[in-house]
Amino acid sequence: MTYVAADDRYDRMRYNRCGRSGLLLPAVSLGLWQNFGHDRPLETSRGIVRRAFDLGVTHFDLANNYGPPYGSAEENFGQLFRSDLAPYRDELIISTKAGYDMWPGPYGEWGSRKYLLASLDQSLGRLGLDYVDIFYSHRFDPETPLEETMGALDRAVRGGKALYAGISSYSAAKTREAAAILRDLGTPLLIHQPSYSMLNRWIEPELLEVLGDEGVGCIVFSPLAQGMLTDKYLDGVPEGSRASRHGSLSPDLITDQTLAKIRGLNEIAARRGQTLAQMAIAWTLRDPRVTSALVGASSVEQLDANVAGVDNLDFTDDELDEIDGYATESDINIWAESSRR
């Protein structure tokens, strides 16, 4: 059945300016890190992607190695784009990244010009696109000159294969350096994508200050701490959950101390008339320097619930003070190594 987007798709979503650029991003964006590879039914992914756009989620975030297997999330999204979203291309922001391991050998990861530009070509092939809207350096490479990595992003933009350049998980100092290099090249740094949640607050205050000073947008990933900031783990680790599978969310991260924080935050959310997940998303957006919160979804119902976080974005000072009592570092930032360099 031919997909026709909802007429009211822009009525509910809030759109925020990305730094000092001309680009607006939805307050909630859809990330395809989990649940969109070949291990999941394509029809499930189709339902989520269609519903997202109907809710005003115009930004779809990918990376070269999202899957499993690597590349399959881009392949699946490319198929859904051709079947459903192609008529709406100019209403969409589609992003991808390169930086982590993608293929064997010395040219298949990190931040060299060869890897980044070859990976972008491969991503465009899998997506079936002439260009992506944002191309990211997925992580800082300590062995490659930053001028080379940023030069590759500049080349991608000047070559018409990306409209904007972004970085992910860079430290505050390296972010300032990257922004200066790109500014000198004539391709401003649009956006930074760091991990950020009530249990992982590493971007405060230094990175957020740099982004504000440089006029760079911020889209936070893992605002739900890979599902920890939901009602799923209030009573421990359920069988079959992500934390039970020893993947990116290890059960070792869900300590008794962290569970006590989660339960305290859940009580605050209930008083606000929100789920814990909705409050967690809204909380990341309380700072005007944060442009968008990047969420995943395994079902249409979960997506609906997450997007509803934008319905109540206001916090009282007393609520923020109470949240701060529970929202403390919990040693869950598995991407910290890149941002320490």
Side-chain angles (χ1 to χ4, degrees):
M1 187 174 182
T2 301
Y3 168 69
V4 178
D7 290 337
D8 62 351
R9 58 188 177 276
Y10 295 114
D11 292 351
R12 177 185 187 183
M13 180 58 65
R14 180 179 300 195
Y15 297 89
N16 299 320
R17 187 160 304 280
C18 191
R20 289 196 289 267
S21 77
L23 186 67
L24 299 175
L25 292 181
V28 172
S29 300
L30 182 64
L32 281 73
W33 174 30
Q34 307 276 351
N35 304 311
F36 289 87
H38 290 337
D39 60 331
R40 298 298 179 98
L42 184 63
E43 286 306 307
T44 300
S45 300
R46 171 174 279 117
I48 296 169
V49 167
R50 285 181 170 186
R51 180 60 175 164
F53 189 49
D54 284 344
L55 291 173
V57 177
T58 55
H59 181 206
F60 298 88
D61 180 82
L62 296 121
N64 56 358
N65 63 353
Y66 287 176
Y70 288 176
S72 60
E74 289 181 329
E75 290 173 355
N76 285 341
F77 186 81
Q79 185 171 341
L80 298 177
F81 174 81
R82 290 187 293 275
S83 63
D84 297 334
L85 296 177
Y88 307 99
R89 177 63 183 101
D90 293 334
E91 297 181 46
L92 303 177
I93 302 296
I94 301 170
S95 61
T96 196
K97 316 177 198 74
Y100 287 94
D101 64 298
M102 182 60 191
W103 63 82
Y107 318 120
E109 64 176 321
W110 293 107
S112 72
R113 182 183 183 93
K114 178 171 178 60
Y115 169 56
L116 292 179
L117 296 181
S119 179
L120 177 55
D121 283 342
Q122 291 182 19
S123 290
L124 292 174
R126 286 187 292 267
L127 291 165
L129 299 175
D130 295 327
Y131 70 94
V132 291
D133 296 273
I134 308 171
F135 182 51
Y136 288 88
S137 166
H138 207 166
R139 60 172 169 171
F140 173 68
D141 180 355
E143 303 298 328
T144 297
L146 194 55
E147 290 83 0
E148 178 176 341
T149 302
M150 295 304 104
L153 297 183
D154 172 68
R155 177 59 184 167
V157 172
R158 291 182 182 278
K161 296 180 180 181
L163 300 185
Y164 298 97
I167 58 176
S168 180
S169 297
Y170 277 51
S171 70
K174 292 301 179 184
T175 296
R176 193 180 294 279
E177 188 177 346
I181 294 169
L182 283 170
R183 185 166 52 246
D184 288 344
L185 290 170
T187 298
L189 177 61
L190 173 78
I191 194 166
H192 188 297
Q193 186 176 133
S195 62
Y196 183 55
S197 73
M198 291 191 289
L199 302 178
N200 173 23
R201 300 180 64 166
W202 74 273
I203 69 174
E204 304 172 10
E206 290 86 2
L207 180 58
L208 283 174
E209 289 177 355
V210 169
L211 298 179
D213 291 345
E214 298 288 344
V216 174
C218 180
I219 178 169
V220 299
F221 74 90
S222 202
L224 304 183
Q226 297 197 71
M228 292 172 65
L229 290 170
T230 68
D231 59 7
K232 184 179 295 184
Y233 299 105
L234 292 174
D235 298 316
V237 180
E239 185 177 351
S241 66
R242 190 194 299 189
S244 70
R245 299 194 293 268
H246 288 274
S248 58
L249 178 59
S250 165
D252 297 336
L253 300 177
I254 306 178
T255 64
D256 290 342
Q257 183 181 17
T258 299
L259 283 173
K261 297 177 188 179
I262 294 170
R263 291 172 183 136
L265 292 167
N266 186 61
E267 292 177 3
I268 300 171
R271 295 200 299 271
R272 284 172 49 84
Q274 290 180 306
T275 67
L276 175 55
Q278 289 165 349
M279 184 181 79
I281 292 166
W283 180 88
T284 65
L285 294 165
R286 78 199 185 286
D287 191 306
R289 293 168 294 189
V290 175
T291 312
S292 184
L294 191 60
V295 304
S298 59
S299 66
V300 169
E301 292 76 19
Q302 185 181 52
L303 175 71
D304 283 345
N306 287 342
V307 171
V310 305
D311 294 340
N312 183 8
L313 295 176
D314 296 325
F315 291 86
T316 67
D317 290 340
D318 287 343
E319 285 176 329
L320 291 175
D321 287 343
E322 187 177 6
I323 287 171
D324 280 342
Y326 298 103
T328 58
E329 287 297 336
S330 302
D331 296 321
I332 66 167
N333 185 1
I334 64 175
W335 306 274
E337 182 179 356
S338 179
S339 57
R340 289 194 191 107
R341 296 178 169 131

